[in-house]
Amino acid sequence: MRVAGLAVDIPSPGRPMTRIVVLDDSSGSLTVVSSEPLPSRSSDLATQLHDAADAVASRLQGLAVERVVVRRADRPPRATNEEGPRVRLLTEGAITSAARSVVVDTRIGTGKDTGAWFGSNKVGVDQASSTLLSAQGVNAAFMEATSAALAAISL
């Protein structure tokens, strides 16, 4: 099965970046087929969200995946009124909608959800993700997207 995991982070203020990881286990062993950042341009928020959705939809069309899991932000220990978390949540909504328009079997979940879908917990799926990335020489910045992809392959 070929699956994709997506995650959003905010590496610089007001500039969300979507990371996409594609895993394939059809050969009998789990392989990272692709790991790509989809950065945003410095523009107004509506344009960034539109561009993020377009980039994800376009990329997924070319990757021929059977399932997508988007890892969304965990609930913070206390509510915050900062712009970064808001932009991340908006971006996660935009890319989830875009993914669903291309791949019908699209899910969205927190780290806790992806851990449960993986058959473990958040720490367990994140450790498995880090181990896989390290073994295949992929940048650790793709850990959350890989965790989402591991959840997708386990569903």
Side-chain angles (χ1 to χ4, degrees):
M1 175 179 262
R2 191 177 179 110
V3 300
L6 285 79
V8 175
D9 67 357
I10 312 287
S12 59
R15 302 276 305 272
M17 178 182 297
T18 302
R19 297 184 192 276
I20 182 169
V21 171
V22 176
L23 300 180
D24 193 324
D25 68 352
S26 61
S27 69
S29 64
L30 193 58
T31 305
V32 177
V33 175
S34 174
S35 58
E36 303 171 40
L38 303 174
S40 64
R41 295 179 301 169
S42 181
S43 58
D44 66 282
L45 182 58
T47 302
Q48 285 180 341
L49 297 174
H50 174 76
D51 290 351
D54 272 357
V56 166
S58 174
R59 199 62 200 108
L60 287 175
Q61 286 172 345
L63 291 169
V65 298
E66 298 171 52
R67 181 179 299 136
V68 175
V69 169
V70 177
R71 180 153 164 182
R72 74 176 184 90
D74 293 322
R75 292 186 181 269
R78 63 179 174 78
T80 180
N81 204 18
E82 296 179 18
E83 188 66 13
R86 288 181 186 168
V87 170
R88 178 178 174 171
L89 289 170
L90 288 167
T91 305
E92 288 167 348
I95 66 168
T96 300
S97 177
R100 174 60 180 81
S101 72
V102 176
V103 181
V104 174
D105 191 359
T106 295
R107 324 262 177 112
I108 182 170
T110 63
K112 180 180 177 182
D113 297 329
T114 58
W117 295 335
F118 180 66
S120 180
N121 57 26
K122 178 183 174 181
V123 171
V125 72
D126 287 351
Q127 286 176 341
S129 170
S130 293
T131 301
L132 179 63
L133 291 173
S134 178
Q136 297 198 13
V138 179
N139 189 317
F142 290 93
M143 191 268 302
E144 284 191 350
T146 304
S147 293
L150 285 171
I153 216 153
S154 298
L155 285 168

